[in-house]
Amino acid sequence: MSVLQPLVSWYAETNGDDEQVTRWDLGIVDASQVSQDFTFLIWNNRKGTEDVPDMQNAVIMTKDEWGGNTGELVEGQWIEVKVDQIDTTFHPIGWDVDTNQAVSRPIKTLGSTTNEDGTFTPNVPPHTTQNGEISILGVKNDGTLENAQGNYVKVSLHCRVPGNASAGAVNFRTRVTYQYV
Amino acid sequence: MLTTMNPYSFVEQDFIWVGEYIDGTCLPEYDFETKKRQDFYALQRNKLVRFGLVGHGMKLYYEVGGGFFKLNGQVYELVYRSDGKEYYLTGQFAPYNDVITYKDAEAWANLSRSDETKFPSRITAYNFGYKVKLQVDGVKFNFKPIVSIPYNKPAYFDITLVADRDLDGCLVIKKNGTEIAEFHAPLRAGVGGRLKWNIRW
């Protein structure tokens, strides 16, 4: 028996079983312009048949392609994020070179998941924590958008390229950090 | 139990938490026999005598009676000193049974090009400690010490302290009864102060 931990996966917002997100093509974005929005789902334990731990205090940030904090896209906080149900506008994420700190945004769901054991909601007992808040449930679920709303967060990203950006392809990574018991 | 058990994790996770009860039994994160994961929230706090992490040959825990940290067999005490007065934050007659434990973890995605490795998820740190409300010599404290064991970095104490009045004092760390570190840590009434201290083993 292996250890139980949150099982994080990313899916297109239409949530098809074969629509795991492995790529976001920004396309060509001209300087001084914003890319089109890219919306996806961050799941914990999608279609899981046994409960795994809840994700707590989850945040999203960007990193360069080596996992560091360099480059225009990260340092310039080009990527902006909007979390469904939580945010009413887009917020830049990346790295603040002045304070040497990651610039991140909390991700969490307000939805509930119903499975054969009952209906569960983040931050409603028994899914509470004494250390911050529950972001995404780990309870088993059928993986549908209707019944498993406590198990995923819907996130939109876009890229805002400043006028003084240098030309060329920019690679980056997205990092979600979280805690669990 | 915590003091006598084999200090190695027996599952594919470097450290596991263990709560020890007054009757000598314990609740480990994974059952010793069945290897089944136990629910942290099922921990019976009123029966708890010790809580901590076990792994890599180390036992890192605290005593519920007094809140003393015992890390690798060394005792750590925390004291707030102001105007020549020592407020012992550990060692008070209070139940230090409001246990905290969590793992820091991360999941990566490389969205700008197809990533064969999918979205690896991994633990970056193990944490344990407690929070407690204390009244020491007329001063009310909210005290939350957490021991954090990150990968690729030294282990550290992450200490949060709130007092109900202004105090211009120092946070003092004692190891085996000897003062080994002191930090100027002025507190304003009702405002939390936070200190990270790399543990000196």
Side-chain angles (χ1 to χ4, degrees), chain A residues 55-59 106-107 129 131-135 177-179, chain B residues 102:
Chain A
M55 292 165 72
Q56 306 179 358
N57 306 318
V59 299
I107 54 170
T129 171
N131 183 53
E133 60 180 2
I134 302 292
S135 309
T177 67
Y178 57 92
Q179 297 168 341
Chain B
Y102 56 90

Side-chain angles (χ1 to χ4, degrees), chain A residues 14-132:
Chain A
T14 40
N15 193 40
D17 281 351
D18 57 353
E19 293 185 310
Q20 191 158 1
V21 174
T22 56
R23 187 177 168 82
W24 169 34
D25 197 344
L26 282 170
I28 296 168
V29 188
D30 290 330
S32 305
Q33 294 198 3
V34 173
S35 74
Q36 62 187 31
D37 290 356
F38 173 69
T39 301
F40 55 94
L41 310 173
I42 300 178
W43 277 91
N44 183 10
N45 201 24
R46 185 180 184 274
K47 276 195 169 177
T49 53
E50 68 176 328
D51 292 359
V52 304
D54 297 337
M55 292 165 72
Q56 306 179 358
N57 306 318
V59 299
I60 189 168
M61 66 194 79
T62 52
K63 297 283 173 184
D64 63 38
E65 60 182 314
W66 303 280
N69 302 304
T70 63
E72 289 178 299
L73 181 139
V74 175
E75 294 181 356
Q77 299 165 32
W78 289 6
I79 301 296
E80 299 180 340
V81 59
K82 176 178 171 296
V83 179
D84 214 41
Q85 301 175 311
I86 307 297
D87 294 332
T88 48
T89 186
F90 283 82
H91 300 273
I93 53 174
W95 184 256
D96 186 327
V97 287
D98 294 328
T99 62
N100 258 345
Q101 283 183 325
V103 179
S104 62
R105 285 296 297 176
I107 54 170
K108 63 172 177 177
T109 175
L110 306 178
S112 305
T113 290
T114 299
N115 62 25
E116 65 196 43
D117 297 336
T119 295
F120 306 99
T121 308
N123 303 302
V124 174
H127 292 275
T128 55
T129 171
Q130 80 287 53
N131 183 53

Side-chain angles (χ1 to χ4, degrees), chain A residues 3-4 21-24 53 56 63 65 67 128 130-131 171-181, chain B residues 11 30 37 40-41 99-114 119 121 123 131:
Chain A
V3 299
L4 291 182
V21 174
T22 56
R23 187 177 168 82
W24 169 34
Q56 306 179 358
K63 297 283 173 184
E65 60 182 314
T128 55
Q130 80 287 53
N131 183 53
N171 284 318
F172 70 102
R173 285 170 181 254
T174 312
R175 178 179 183 237
V176 170
T177 67
Y178 57 92
Q179 297 168 341
Y180 70 96
V181 173
Chain B
V11 291
Y30 288 89
R37 183 172 182 267
F40 172 71
Y41 298 101
V99 188
I100 295 172
T101 187
Y102 56 90
K103 301 161 191 71
D104 290 315
E106 59 180 12
W108 289 83
N110 188 346
L111 292 180
S112 52
R113 63 176 159 199
S114 189
F119 305 99
S121 194
I123 294 170
K131 62 177 196 275

